[in-house]
Amino acid sequence: MVRLTEQSLDPGSVYGQLPFPDGSGSVLVHFAVVKAATDDRRTAGIRFQRAGEVEAEMQAIEDDLRRRYKLLDVLLVRRLGSLRVGEISSLVAVAAVARDDAFGACNDAITGFKKMKTLDKQELFVDGIPS
């Protein structure tokens, strides 16, 4: 399942968003948060904007994970808009029978998120000089 939202993400609600089918032995959730500094520069926040068909690219990531790993459920969420330091910018949640599949899929999803071409990321720095 893929979602794109401009709303803040509530970490406590993620577990309840996955049905976790019978047989789930490993559930792994990763939250990416806006860092306070990038390359020794203080960050004020990040702005994410569409640069194409974001949902389609996210769906391709999910489809690839399901082909490569034995997963029971997947939830991929990305934020749009302006985010402050400490806010959750994305999350990956996977349920699998075994932890190796859960950890592998989670890691590959995060890597896929970082390589997305349909999402434009603009870092906003405290000094006001653009990235």
Side-chain angles (χ1 to χ4, degrees):
M1 174 181 348
V2 300
R3 292 188 186 148
L4 194 60
T5 184
E6 291 187 22
Q7 304 301 313
S8 295
L9 300 175
D10 174 21
S13 71
V14 173
Y15 193 82
Q17 293 179 41
L18 290 172
F20 301 120
D22 289 342
S24 296
S26 183
V27 176
L28 187 63
V29 179
H30 169 80
F31 298 100
V33 298
V34 178
K35 296 183 282 188
T38 300
D39 298 328
D40 297 326
R41 291 179 69 191
R42 289 188 32 90
T43 304
I46 292 179
R47 181 176 302 121
F48 291 103
Q49 297 176 332
R50 287 178 181 272
E53 294 295 325
V54 180
E55 292 92 344
E57 188 172 15
M58 290 174 64
Q59 188 61 57
I61 293 169
E62 178 183 348
D63 293 346
D64 181 59
L65 296 175
R66 289 184 183 275
R67 272 192 300 277
R68 296 176 46 227
Y69 298 97
K70 295 177 184 174
L71 301 177
L72 300 172
D73 209 352
V74 178
L75 174 62
L76 304 177
V77 182
R78 292 296 312 242
R79 288 279 312 274
L80 287 176
S82 296
L83 286 69
R84 297 180 311 269
V85 170
E87 282 192 86
I88 298 168
S89 59
S90 67
L91 74 85
V92 172
V94 295
V97 173
R99 72 176 181 268
D100 288 343
D101 286 312
F103 276 92
C106 189
N107 187 60
D108 287 355
I110 295 162
T111 299
F113 274 2
K114 290 196 162 286
K115 293 179 180 179
M116 288 182 71
K117 298 192 183 318
T118 58
L119 198 61
D120 182 48
K121 172 185 170 183
Q122 179 186 17
E123 294 189 82
L124 309 170
F125 293 102
V126 173
D127 61 17
I129 300 169
S131 58

